[in-house]
């Protein structure tokens, strides 16, 4: 068996790529090409999709985008290239030199030496047209193509950046990331809006459950995090959750993402609220710093006049709980201190006839229990909040809601 040091040495020394005799063109993303500090004539290769074509007598201008940035790279080519094949939406590979651009709108442009069409696009049938800015309601009809639009491109880049920022916040704060199960036998919320999991064809004995007990898609990772908080002081999870809610409102989805945390040795709501507030502020500042153009596009064209919204706190003390409510979005955070009194829980479970099913939950209070609490944040609602997006279906790549599961 490899030891850790042997494995590291092996990884550093191994390489499956042969050394080329001639140095090939360096492959750059559009974002890296636009950010190039020096334009010393080095040959590069850029791959992406054509966002615009403009043909003059002697010069052909293309704008190429690969999803790495909102801004596209301008490619300048000789008019001898067949502009009829270079259409809006087509995928291309361009090789050439990065040079300083004479235009004030961009620092660099690419002088093309070779343009290869990877995939043609039928512009007449393509649902999105050059220079058009279709509304999100229209774009939503094409879940397999809507990521090609500037609006969804910006939203999904922001989503990616926010995901990384949330993970970074928890890591820097000393939390341990836990993968809580998607399939569970627990109904954490108790609302009854569950998707039951069953095999598509009955196995052996039809009346038996696949897992021997009824199983559901999770509505929350809270109970599993409570288990883990008995061994790790601070834990979090970030994953999909499901609600079988018959709603097509702008605030609800059948599948959405939740950020959830559980903290041991917590005895006041103020302790939880401080973590919630730091998470919100840190993640939002990171997004604003790293995605300014994408955020500006959302505020300018999707939600005109919107800025990062302020939020209001409302404390609900019937179970030592706190909700963070956001104007126009609703509940963004929900948190509470957990009940650690063994006898109180035992009596409550006995009255509900759940003692056997939740004996493990009582065990958590019998074996080294500590005061603890936690919270959850709806990730899509968070994106709605900071971007001013009206409909939750527009901040997730593939929205699932009642009567709609496309792709």
């Amino acid at each position: 068996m490899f030891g850790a040091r042997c494995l590291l040495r092996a990884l550093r020394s191994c390489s499956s790529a042969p050394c080329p005799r001639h140095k090939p063109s360096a492959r750059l993303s559009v974002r890296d090409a636009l950010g190039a500090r020096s334009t010393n004539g080095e040959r590069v290769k850029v791959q992406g999709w054509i966002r615009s074509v403009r043909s003059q007598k002697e010069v052909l201008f293309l704008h190429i985008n690969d999803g790495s940035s909102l801004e596209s790279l301008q490619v300048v080519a000789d008019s001898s290239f067949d502009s009829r094949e270079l259409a809006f939406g087509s995928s291309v590979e361009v090789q050439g030199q990065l040079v300083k651009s004479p235009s004030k709108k961009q620092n660099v442009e690419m002088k093309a030496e070779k343009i290869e069409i990877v995939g043609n696009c039928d512009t007449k049938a393509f649902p999105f047209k050059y220079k058009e800015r279709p509304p999100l309601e229209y774009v939503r009809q094409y879940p397999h193509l809507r990521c090609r639009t500037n609006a969804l491109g910006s939203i999904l880049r922001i989503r990616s950046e926010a995901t990384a920022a949330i993970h970074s916040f928890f890591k820097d704060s000393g939390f341990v990331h836990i993968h809580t199960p998607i399939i569970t036998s627990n109904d954490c919320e108790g609302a009854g809006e569950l998707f039951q999991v069953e095999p598509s064809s009955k196995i052996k004995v039809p009346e038996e459950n696949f897992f021997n007990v009824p199983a559901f898609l999770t509505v929350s990772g809270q109970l599993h995090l409570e288990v883990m908080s008995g061994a790790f002081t601070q834990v979090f999870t970030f994953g999909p959750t499901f609600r079988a809610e018959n709603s097509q409102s702008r605030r609800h989805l059948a599948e959405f993402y939740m950020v959830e945390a559980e903290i041991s040795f917590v005895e006041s709501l103020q302790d939880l609220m401080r973590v919630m507030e730091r998470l919100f502020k840190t993640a939002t500042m990171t997004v604003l710093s790293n995605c300014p153009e994408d955020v500006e596009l959302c505020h300018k064209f999707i939600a005109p006049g919107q800025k990062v919204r302020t939020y209001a706190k409302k404390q609900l003390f019937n179970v030592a709980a706190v909700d963070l409510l956001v104007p126009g979005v609703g509940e963004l955070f929900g948190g509470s201190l957990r009940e650690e009194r063994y006898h109180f829980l035992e009596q409550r479970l006995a009255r509900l006839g759940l003692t056997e099913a939740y004996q493990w939950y009582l065990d958590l209070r019998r074996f080294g229990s500590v005061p603890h609490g936690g919270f959850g944040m709806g990730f899509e609602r968070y994106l709605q909040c900071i971007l001013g997006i009206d409909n939750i279906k527009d901040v997730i790549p593939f929205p699932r809601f009642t009567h709609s599961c496309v792709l």
Side-chain angles (χ1 to χ4, degrees):
M1 294 292 290
F2 271 136
R5 293 180 182 176
C6 293
L7 181 58
L8 279 172
R9 284 197 296 268
L11 289 172
R12 288 167 181 161
S13 62
C14 71
S15 175
S16 60
C19 295
R21 293 183 179 179
H22 302 287
K23 187 177 180 180
S25 300
R27 182 180 178 275
L28 291 181
S29 68
V30 167
R31 180 174 182 171
D32 290 340
L34 292 170
R37 295 183 179 180
S38 62
T39 54
N40 53 9
E42 180 183 1
R43 283 175 171 76
V44 298
K45 176 170 65 178
V46 174
Q47 299 163 322
W49 291 266
I50 297 175
R51 289 294 178 88
S52 71
V53 183
R54 182 162 52 92
S55 180
Q56 297 182 353
K57 286 185 177 180
E58 298 181 355
V59 184
L60 181 67
F61 294 95
L62 304 175
H63 282 90
I64 308 297
N65 194 286
D66 63 355
S68 60
S69 71
L70 176 61
E71 186 179 356
S72 298
L73 174 66
Q74 178 168 283
V75 175
V76 183
D78 189 270
S79 59
S80 60
F81 287 100
D82 190 349
S83 60
R84 293 172 300 177
E85 294 293 323
L86 299 172
F88 171 69
S90 296
S91 55
V92 294
E93 177 178 294
V94 183
Q95 297 186 47
Q97 294 177 305
L98 281 182
V99 297
K100 185 172 178 59
S101 175
S103 173
K104 294 181 180 180
K105 294 183 179 180
Q106 66 266 330
N107 294 324
V108 299
E109 62 186 24
M110 188 175 184
K111 186 176 180 181
E113 297 173 353
K114 179 182 178 182
I115 301 178
E116 178 184 349
I117 298 173
V118 179
N120 289 303
C121 178
D122 183 348
T123 55
K124 291 183 179 180
F126 195 51
F128 311 127
K129 307 303 178 185
Y130 172 55
K131 285 190 175 180
E132 288 186 359
R133 201 180 296 276
L136 293 178
E137 292 79 8
Y138 171 79
V139 174
R140 210 179 296 146
Q141 300 175 59
Y142 304 94
H144 58 303
L145 296 173
R146 68 177 189 158
C147 56
R148 309 275 187 94
T149 64
N150 281 340
L152 262 292
S154 288
I155 290 171
L156 295 180
R157 275 189 296 273
I158 292 169
R159 184 183 176 102
S160 176
E161 192 66 43
T163 298
I166 289 168
H167 278 277
S168 180
F169 167 82
F170 281 118
K171 182 179 180 181
D172 293 344
S173 301
F175 282 72
V176 175
H177 183 202
I178 303 296
H179 290 115
T180 54
I182 291 176
I183 299 175
T184 177
S185 59
N186 297 314
D187 177 8
C188 183
E189 297 288 332
E193 299 161 349
L194 297 167
F195 287 104
Q196 187 158 356
V197 177
E198 295 179 348
S200 58
S201 59
K202 296 295 182 180
I203 299 175
K204 294 182 180 179
V205 184
E207 56 270 16
E208 286 186 0
N209 290 302
F210 182 85
F211 296 102
N212 290 334
V213 294
F216 312 94
L217 294 180
T218 184
V219 297
S220 171
Q222 176 192 324
L223 295 182
H224 297 95
L225 287 183
E226 284 197 57
V227 170
M228 292 296 166
S229 69
F232 306 96
T233 307
Q234 301 182 113
V235 292
F236 82 101
T237 191
F238 189 167
T241 53
F242 306 85
R243 303 286 169 87
E245 186 173 9
N246 188 15
S247 171
Q248 296 194 37
S249 79
R250 64 183 183 86
R251 296 184 182 182
H252 296 94
L253 290 168
E255 177 185 357
F256 55 96
Y257 279 71
M258 284 280 287
V259 179
E260 299 179 271
E262 197 73 22
I263 308 170
S264 294
F265 302 100
V266 167
E267 299 189 28
S268 72
L269 285 176
Q270 283 68 30
D271 292 335
L272 282 181
M273 291 165 63
R274 277 192 287 270
V275 180
M276 292 158 63
E277 185 173 351
R278 286 196 300 115
L279 170 60
F280 182 93
K281 287 183 176 179
T282 302
T284 304
M285 290 300 294
T286 300
V287 169
L288 294 177
S289 298
N290 295 348
C291 304
E293 297 88 358
D294 291 315
V295 172
E296 183 180 359
L297 180 140
C298 292
H299 290 167
K300 186 175 181 180
F301 295 108
I302 301 175
Q306 292 289 343
K307 300 296 180 185
V308 175
R309 300 180 180 188
T310 57
Y311 55 94
K313 298 173 184 174
K314 180 181 179 182
Q315 296 185 28
L316 308 175
F317 284 104
N318 46 341
V319 196
V322 59
D323 288 340
L324 191 152
L325 307 178
V326 178
V329 174
E331 181 185 333
L332 178 59
F333 280 86
S336 73
L337 301 181
R338 313 309 187 194
E339 178 59 71
E340 78 265 12
R341 293 172 295 179
Y342 177 86
H343 295 295
F344 181 88
L345 282 173
E346 184 181 39
Q347 293 170 8
R348 176 68 172 166
L349 289 172
R351 285 198 301 270
L352 296 173
L354 296 173
T355 300
E356 183 178 354
Y358 286 91
Q359 183 60 50
W360 64 269
Y361 198 67
L362 290 174
D363 285 347
L364 297 179
R365 274 65 181 173
R366 293 174 61 201
F367 306 121
S369 179
V370 299
H372 61 287
F375 63 84
M377 179 186 79
F379 185 50
E380 282 74 25
R381 289 189 178 185
Y382 166 75
L383 294 174
Q384 282 186 277
C385 170
I386 66 171
L387 299 179
I389 305 297
D390 182 63
N391 197 309
I392 197 170
K393 300 176 184 68
D394 297 320
V395 294
I396 191 169
F398 301 99
R400 271 77 172 100
F401 50 97
T402 181
H403 308 306
S404 180
C405 184
V406 183
L407 291 187

